Amino acid sequence: MPDFLKSLTWSVNWIKRRSLETSQAPCALGSCTGSQSRRWQRLAPRATGTFLQDAFYCRPQCLETALIGQLARLHGVVPSPLPPNRIPLGLLMVARGKLTHLEVRAALEAQRRARYGKIGDWIEKLGFATEHEVTTALALQWGCPVASSINLTTTGSPGNIPLPILEAFQMLPLNYVTSSNTLYVACGERVDHAAFYAIERILDCRTQPCVSSRKDIARQLDSMRQLPRPSDVEFGPMNDLAEMASIAASYTARLTPDQVRLSRVGRFIWLRLDVRSKTRAHFTNLVFRLATDARPGPFTRPFRDLRAATTTQP
Ligand SMILES: [Zn+2]
């Protein structure tokens, strides 16, 4: 794992908070038998206790119950439609003297006839502007700086965000600044602030979007697809909430993570399981790709069946 991302997996503040809460806080599950859990915590504060979204759950059973609730909530989220671009790219480039109205009309007409491609692509293809000029206009459109270059050999591999999510949003982590706990992420098409918010919650850091060449980002993602990513496990497309809960519970039971964070990112539910002990320090990303016709709905199987399923998964 690259150095600049190491602190994401284990922040000092989180360690302090965790040790404090483990020794003082009761189990966050309301139905947990309080006296038993407190006695259990005194006897074995780390054996299987886990933080889920910063709330402590004393036993695997408590964690599973909370996980199921969280997954149901995220599964039921209806992603809000993407907001329209602030200013159409063509008009913005006209205003900056990079294009004429006639050129914008020609690019729009070519896009309409072809029925594919971004307007920026057609502006480039027709020779009206360079890729750099289009990227600069995109950055203005989204109010972000332009990333001058993408060189992962100096910034390390962006191993913390699962590849399916990077591909879906055409984004690429560029650099992590420890002093400000900020992850810089380049976008090639648009800046989805909801996705950035979800990334911040899971990685427990701040994010700063910037804009870079769409082609460069697509090339980098292509090359990343060829590399093994043992920390990412992808499931789906799926729409079975009980199955998702079963898989998640199976992994938490097997890995006994110290911290679990999860969030909805577009059509994905992303869980990050962090393990840190004297002998182990690693993370696992579980990514559930929701089916396009995913609809929020209740569990179709009785809870006891679901719990039984969670104990039989590998
Ligand atoms: Zn409990």
Side-chain angles (χ1 to χ4, degrees), residues 67 70-72 74-75 162 164-165 168 202 232-252 260-273 284-292 294 313:
L67 254 181
Q70 294 274 350
L71 283 170
L74 294 175
H75 184 257
I165 292 176
I202 291 210
D232 292 356
V233 191
E234 186 184 357
F235 302 92
M238 63 195 304
N239 194 21
D240 186 334
L241 188 51
E243 188 181 0
M244 285 180 223
S246 172
I247 292 168
S250 165
Y251 272 85
T252 56
V260 178
R261 293 183 191 273
L262 72 165
S263 192
R264 176 79 178 257
V265 192
R267 284 174 45 208
F268 301 91
I269 293 178
W270 170 20
L271 287 86
R272 181 184 163 103
L273 281 55
T284 298
N285 287 319
L286 305 183
V287 183
F288 297 108
R289 184 190 295 267
L290 302 181
T292 50
Q313 289 287 321

Side-chain angles (χ1 to χ4, degrees), residues 27 29 32 37 58-59 62:
C27 180
L29 187 71
C32 178
S37 67
C58 70
R59 294 174 298 178
C62 300

Side-chain angles (χ1 to χ4, degrees), residues 3-273:
D3 290 342
F4 79 90
L5 286 173
K6 280 182 179 172
S7 57
L8 287 179
T9 64
W10 195 244
S11 82
V12 172
N13 289 338
W14 190 82
I15 297 170
K16 288 176 182 171
R17 188 168 68 240
R18 184 185 177 283
S19 59
L20 184 69
E21 291 179 2
T22 305
S23 60
Q24 295 181 354
C27 180
L29 187 71
S31 58
C32 178
T33 48
S35 58
Q36 288 179 12
S37 67
R38 278 194 292 273
R39 186 165 61 247
W40 183 90
Q41 281 175 242
R42 281 199 302 273
L43 293 172
R46 172 61 195 99
T48 50
T50 295
F51 283 90
L52 171 64
Q53 309 283 66
D54 292 327
F56 181 73
Y57 293 89
C58 70
R59 294 174 298 178
Q61 295 90 333
C62 300
L63 176 65
E64 286 176 25
T65 304
L67 254 181
I68 290 165
Q70 294 274 350
L71 283 170
R73 181 181 62 80
L74 294 175
H75 184 257
V77 168
V78 178
S80 53
L82 288 171
N85 293 335
R86 295 171 182 177
I87 309 171
L89 189 72
L91 286 183
L92 193 148
M93 295 185 76
V94 169
R96 294 184 62 81
K98 300 294 181 186
L99 292 180
T100 66
H101 282 289
L102 283 177
E103 288 170 334
V104 172
R105 277 201 208 112
L108 286 170
E109 178 62 17
Q111 184 192 36
R112 188 186 66 78
R113 285 187 182 169
R115 297 183 181 179
Y116 73 88
K118 302 281 182 186
I119 186 63
D121 293 339
W122 286 104
I123 291 170
E124 278 181 55
K125 275 182 189 173
L126 295 172
F128 297 150
T130 65
E131 182 182 14
H132 178 70
E133 287 171 331
V134 171
T135 301
T136 303
L138 276 172
L140 279 169
Q141 194 178 30
W142 291 104
C144 300
V146 177
S148 55
S149 65
I150 296 176
N151 185 355
L152 297 183
T153 58
T154 57
T155 57
S157 169
N160 271 23
I161 302 175
L163 184 59
I165 292 176
L166 296 178
E167 289 181 320
F169 291 89
Q170 287 295 295
M171 56 169 59
L172 195 64
L174 291 180
N175 198 5
Y176 173 69
V177 178
T178 309
S179 58
S180 59
N181 188 28
T182 302
L183 183 65
Y184 288 80
V185 182
C187 300
E189 291 184 357
R190 59 182 300 141
V191 178
D192 189 315
H193 291 286
F196 274 83
Y197 177 69
I199 291 167
E200 287 188 349
R201 289 200 66 194
I202 291 210
L203 298 184
D204 197 19
C205 70
R206 295 198 302 176
T207 55
Q208 172 62 57
C210 49
V211 172
S212 189
S213 155
R214 193 170 70 86
K215 291 174 190 167
D216 285 351
I217 289 179
R219 268 195 293 271
Q220 288 290 347
L221 293 176
D222 274 344
S223 61
M224 286 167 64
R225 205 175 296 126
Q226 314 306 320
L227 301 173
R229 295 176 64 87
S231 299
D232 292 356
V233 191
E234 186 184 357
F235 302 92
M238 63 195 304
N239 194 21
D240 186 334
L241 188 51
E243 188 181 0
M244 285 180 223
S246 172
I247 292 168
S250 165
Y251 272 85
T252 56
R254 188 150 52 94
L255 299 175
T256 60
D258 297 81
Q259 172 76 276
V260 178
R261 293 183 191 273
L262 72 165
S263 192
R264 176 79 178 257
V265 192
R267 284 174 45 208
F268 301 91
I269 293 178
W270 170 20
L271 287 86
R272 181 184 163 103
L273 281 55

